[in-house]
Amino acid sequence: IAGITQAPTSQILAAGRRMTLRCTQDMRHNAMYWYRQDLGLGLRLIHYSNTAGTTGKGEVPDGYSVSRANTDDFPLTLASAVPSQTSVYFCASRPDRAPNYGYTFGSGTRLTVV
Amino acid sequence: AQKVTQAQTEISVVEKEDVTLDCVYETRDTTYYLFWYKQPPSGELVFLIRRNSFDEQNEISGRYSWNFQKSTSSFNFTITASQVVDSAVYFCALNGNTPLVFGKGTRLSVIA
């Protein structure tokens, strides 16, 4: 089934540890995104990639890094996790960055940093 | 900068009542798209509608209807004859020349 796969589904992580959230899509979409969702704040953009080999910063990029080595994968790395990074993380993609394209969202990763 | 405001944080209604969720947006882009998403308790994001900035026709889909008014920068969502299954968090979002920007969401509780 075409779509986005996020892994893990949930994770409890000790503060200070490194963690990579995985996101893979099989739709050959050029543009990919990482959002975090926090209660009362909605979804906020962390990083994005308009095409393989390029990345950009969103609204809340601090403490996170991304890479886009190929079209399908867009991993999000927390180099040294802190409790404020406890959140639900959604990966999304769409065919192109042009506004007329709709988004496909993954099912999310629930991360708890203790 | 683009911004989406959902002033209603939480709404509670009794089943079968009509309810309107408000959404006001800000953008300088001339071409943009507006979205509504539903997030049920299970947590996934369910796409409801996308409307482009050149199409101000209201849309109805079953019990759902959307009112897009460019003059007031609003894209409101009405659920007619609400049901318990409509209980969810609803997000309005805007996409112009930057990635999708979400409002903070409105939590709707429909009480039987």
Side-chain angles (χ1 to χ4, degrees):
Chain A
I1 298 176
I4 292 179
T5 301
Q6 289 187 238
T9 304
S10 65
Q11 180 77 44
I12 299 174
L13 184 69
R17 297 294 296 270
R18 181 183 179 89
M19 173 78 186
T20 295
L21 308 186
R22 299 185 299 279
C23 174
T24 299
Q25 52 100 0
D26 60 2
M27 299 170 285
R28 308 301 293 172
H29 284 177
N30 283 319
M32 297 187 73
Y33 309 86
W34 274 106
Y35 288 88
R36 60 176 289 173
Q37 181 182 7
D38 303 289
L39 190 64
L41 296 177
L43 283 83
R44 294 178 293 167
L45 183 68
I46 305 172
H47 284 287
Y48 64 93
S49 170
N50 288 328
T51 189
T54 70
T55 62
K57 294 182 179 180
E59 181 185 356
V60 288
D62 294 343
Y64 305 96
S65 63
V66 291
S67 61
R68 189 84 185 279
N70 58 61
T71 297
D72 298 343
D73 301 301
F74 191 41
L76 176 73
T77 298
L78 290 67
S80 178
V82 296
S84 61
Q85 292 178 309
T86 293
S87 188
V88 179
Y89 292 85
F90 286 97
C91 180
S93 73
R94 58 177 177 163
D96 189 80
R97 64 183 293 268
N100 58 305
Y101 288 104
Y103 291 72
T104 299
F105 282 88
S107 300
T109 294
R110 183 175 296 276
L111 179 67
T112 302
V113 182
V114 298
Chain B
Q2 300 187 112
K3 185 178 179 181
V4 175
T5 300
Q6 294 181 255
Q8 304 148 309
T9 305
E10 294 190 32
I11 301 175
S12 289
V13 298
V14 176
E15 201 170 23
K16 297 184 183 178
E17 287 185 352
D18 299 347
V19 58
T20 295
L21 309 183
D22 298 331
C23 173
V24 175
Y25 64 91
E26 297 174 27
T27 181
R28 294 179 181 176
D29 295 328
T30 54
T31 301
Y32 54 90
Y33 285 76
L34 295 161
F35 298 75
W36 276 96
Y37 287 88
K38 174 182 180 180
Q39 188 176 46
S42 54
E44 75 272 22
L45 288 165
V46 178
F47 167 79
L48 295 178
I49 190 171
R50 180 180 66 177
R51 172 68 71 207
N52 75 54
S53 52
F54 298 107
D55 183 3
E56 289 193 65
Q57 284 190 353
N58 292 332
E59 179 151 344
I60 298 174
S61 176
R63 296 184 296 107
Y64 295 171
S65 62
W66 290 270
N67 182 284
F68 175 31
Q69 293 197 344
K70 214 168 177 178
S71 60
T72 56
S73 298
S74 65
F75 187 44
N76 296 337
F77 173 31
T78 297
I79 302 174
T80 302
S82 60
Q83 299 176 2
V84 173
V85 293
D86 296 326
S87 296
V89 180
Y90 291 86
F91 292 100
C92 181
L94 167 68
N95 182 198
N97 289 321
T98 56
L100 201 60
V101 173
F102 286 83
K104 295 182 179 181
T106 297
R107 180 177 298 276
L108 174 65
S109 298
V110 181
I111 303 165

